[in-house]
Amino acid sequence: MRIGLIGTGRIGSFHAAALSRHRDAGSLVLADAEPARAAALADRLGATAAPDVDAVFAWGVDAVVIASPTATHPELITRAVRLGLPVFCEKPIAADLPATLATLAEVDAAGTVLQLGFMRRFDAGYRTARELVRSGALGRLHTVRTMTADAAPPPAGYLETSGGLYRDCLVHDFDMVRWVTGREVTEVYATGSDAAGPAFRAARDVDTAAAVLTLDDGTLVTATGTRCNGAGYDVRMELAGELDQVSAGLDDRTPIASTEPLGPPPARKPWTGFLERFAPAYEAELDAFVRLVRGDAPNPCDGREGLAALRIAEACELSRRERRPVALPEIPATLPSAAA
């Protein structure tokens, strides 16, 4: 199997290294907007560097992994699926909802597969939480709490193109709410703060956000996120039911200290970021993609799953801007022409 990987920045380099170790991945062709960066990575991994993206497609590959900037995703996905190639793409599919819907229409028309990179679906803790909820071990869920907290804000340039805290970070939590509980969000009410500095205001973004989500069975969800968690990288999901409650993401590296005399000690080595925290999950999702390409497994996270999480993020952003509850049907799920 020959896999083309486009984008050799931080996450692309991680994916390339993981694929280079995979027994079934075969050869890698790497491309980047900075050809020298792709060449250097290819040299380290024993892969092939392409001079540009055109060469990746011209040289012939069996599948494509897209880890380039968000703005390039729609064109690259479309180009790949029109050639009948299976695609793995880091979230998001596109920078906004209309482009996401248009890209998904291309995938549907091509009849090939798109796997979206929601790595938490492959994390051991989240998978166990899902099993417990689906088995009924927790009883009827009444409350779900999620958190995504970055240790430090990203560069100002990233904020301008990230899509905002809801779309960039909390979209992972929204995906987990659906995937773990098996329920759909019907309404959101969200707010946020830009008190961390002028860079957030310039990007029309917030550094800290909170949202209340109502699920279709009445379960209430609180989702919080921040770019300013100096104690470390903290991602958790708590699920409380009538019989029991559990937490995914709570371990000896969770950056939180108890004030109770008999409470657990502070983490000696807090998580520093998402690549460290979710490294095994990233590898597992790429293994799932290789098996998908080989025809040995179904698609674990197709583009429609990404759309569902994005619609919740869009509803939260609308709620924050207009300071009101937003029902999910307000957010389009199809292109206008397809809905007509």
Side-chain angles (χ1 to χ4, degrees):
M1 182 189 304
R2 195 180 203 196
I3 298 177
L5 186 146
I6 301 170
T8 57
R10 180 170 56 169
I11 189 63
S13 295
F14 185 96
H15 287 335
L19 288 168
S20 72
R21 296 189 296 267
H22 198 289
R23 64 185 182 277
D24 296 322
S27 61
L28 285 177
V29 179
L30 310 181
D32 192 272
E34 299 179 19
R37 183 164 66 177
L41 180 61
D43 186 59
R44 292 199 301 273
L45 299 178
T48 301
D52 51 38
V53 171
D54 290 343
V56 173
F57 294 105
W59 290 355
V61 293
D62 300 304
V64 175
V65 172
I66 299 171
S68 51
T70 297
T72 67
H73 290 185
E75 178 185 357
L76 292 173
I77 292 171
T78 298
R79 190 170 180 179
V81 300
R82 285 180 176 178
L83 292 172
L85 296 173
V87 178
F88 173 93
C89 185
E90 274 299 324
K91 69 85 186 165
I93 294 170
D96 57 38
L97 186 60
T100 298
L101 293 170
T103 304
L104 286 175
E106 290 280 357
V107 175
D108 289 345
T112 186
V113 295
L114 167 63
Q115 180 183 331
L116 199 61
F118 276 125
M119 76 291 187
R120 293 186 198 178
R121 292 181 176 223
F122 300 89
D123 177 75
Y126 280 93
R127 294 179 76 87
T128 299
R130 184 178 192 260
E131 291 166 4
L132 291 170
V133 170
R134 301 300 183 91
S135 71
L138 306 186
R140 183 189 66 86
L141 283 181
H142 52 78
T143 307
V144 178
R145 308 175 192 92
T146 73
M147 171 192 291
T148 292
D150 287 335
Y158 179 83
L159 292 176
E160 295 170 358
T161 60
S162 71
L165 190 59
Y166 295 107
R167 300 184 189 96
D168 184 45
C169 285
L170 288 175
V171 70
H172 283 287
D173 298 272
F174 302 150
D175 180 60
M176 283 298 92
V177 167
R178 298 183 62 253
W179 187 72
V180 171
T181 68
R183 295 293 181 177
E184 298 294 340
V185 175
T186 60
E187 185 180 81
V188 310
Y189 189 85
T191 188
S193 168
D194 60 7
F200 290 94
R201 291 187 285 276
R204 302 181 67 184
D205 194 7
V206 294
D207 59 82
T208 302
V212 176
L213 319 178
T214 302
L215 304 188
D216 56 14
D217 65 345
T219 301
L220 295 180
V221 180
T222 58
T224 61
T226 185
R227 303 279 197 186
C228 306
N229 200 57
Y233 181 71
D234 193 358
V235 169
R236 279 178 280 150
M237 183 180 203
E238 299 173 355
L239 299 121
E242 291 181 334
L243 299 180
D244 204 354
Q245 61 179 344
V246 294
S247 176
L250 181 63
D251 59 20
D252 61 0
R253 298 191 64 182
T254 303
I256 189 169
S258 173
T259 59
E260 297 298 329
L262 300 179
R268 288 183 295 176
K269 189 181 179 183
W271 296 109
T272 58
F274 62 91
L275 274 180
E276 182 187 32
R277 165 65 179 84
F278 289 108
Y282 279 116
E283 294 219 20
E285 72 176 356
L286 286 175
D287 174 68
F289 179 62
V290 171
R291 289 187 287 116
L292 171 64
V293 174
R294 288 170 55 89
D296 296 335
N299 193 341
C301 185
D302 67 21
R304 294 290 166 184
E305 297 295 293
L307 172 62
L310 175 62
R311 290 180 65 234
I312 300 169
E314 292 285 342
C316 286
E317 186 60 39
L318 180 60
S319 175
R320 179 184 73 85
R321 291 198 313 268
E322 298 189 357
R323 297 179 178 271
R324 66 175 179 87
V326 173
L328 259 292
E330 294 185 51
I331 309 301
T334 58
L335 288 167
S337 58

